[in-house]
Amino acid sequence: MHELPITESIVRICCEEAEKYNVKKVNEIKIKVGELSGLVPECLQSYFDIVSKDTIIEGAKLNIIKIPVTMECTECNAKFELLKSQGNCCEVCGSTKLKIVNGNEYYIDSMEVDEDGN
Ligand SMILES: [Zn+2]
């Protein structure tokens, strides 16, 4: 249940950006979410609808794009996408000494807006 604080920070950042650029209405917010982040898109949208109420971004739709998990082998430095079928081995040398490069993160990618006509 860590979606709420994350949603609050997304709303805060988007409001600041919308104000900075004199945006009239925000139609869609694109958010990239790592598969390991554990964030549930449906939860984000329902929290978003609550948190964004009475703000400039109220009514915006979240477009949540999942980012695959990338691993790096500490033995041979190969980087590859982690597939569930392959287990936790390096696809190049077979080592199990892997570290996660990304997959935990989330960030706001872009906003689709109606700009002020003036
Ligand atoms: Zn390797």
Side-chain angles (χ1 to χ4, degrees):
M1 293 295 282
H2 54 305
E3 278 88 356
L4 182 57
I6 289 169
T7 309
E8 284 170 342
S9 70
I10 290 169
V11 168
R12 196 177 56 241
I13 293 162
C14 290
C15 281
E16 282 170 13
E17 288 297 304
E19 274 166 34
K20 200 172 10 174
Y21 293 102
N22 241 342
V23 165
K24 227 176 358 181
K25 185 180 182 315
V26 176
N27 298 316
E28 185 180 281
I29 300 165
K30 204 181 272 184
I31 299 169
K32 297 218 173 168
V33 171
E35 278 190 6
L36 291 178
S37 67
L39 294 172
V40 181
E42 293 75 27
C43 290
L44 284 178
Q45 181 72 62
S46 49
Y47 282 129
F48 179 85
D49 291 343
I50 299 163
V51 178
S52 66
K53 205 172 175 350
D54 298 327
T55 70
I56 194 169
I57 63 171
E58 183 181 0
K61 191 181 173 306
L62 298 184
N63 183 0
I64 294 159
I65 296 150
K66 291 222 172 166
I67 310 170
V69 181
T70 307
M71 307 293 281
E72 185 180 331
C73 176
T74 59
E75 299 277 333
C76 73
N77 297 321
K79 277 189 191 166
F80 51 92
E81 219 172 89
L82 183 69
L83 305 170
K84 287 198 177 74
S85 58
Q86 107 194 18
N88 293 312
C89 295
C90 172
E91 61 177 17
V92 178
C93 73
S95 168
T96 53
K97 289 178 185 155
L98 306 177
K99 64 178 184 189
I100 296 164
V101 183
N102 59 42
N104 277 316
E105 74 279 45
Y106 63 90
Y107 59 90
I108 300 161
D109 186 65
S110 59
M111 294 198 289
E112 194 192 290
V113 301
D114 284 345
E115 278 177 56
D116 199 325
N118 303 319

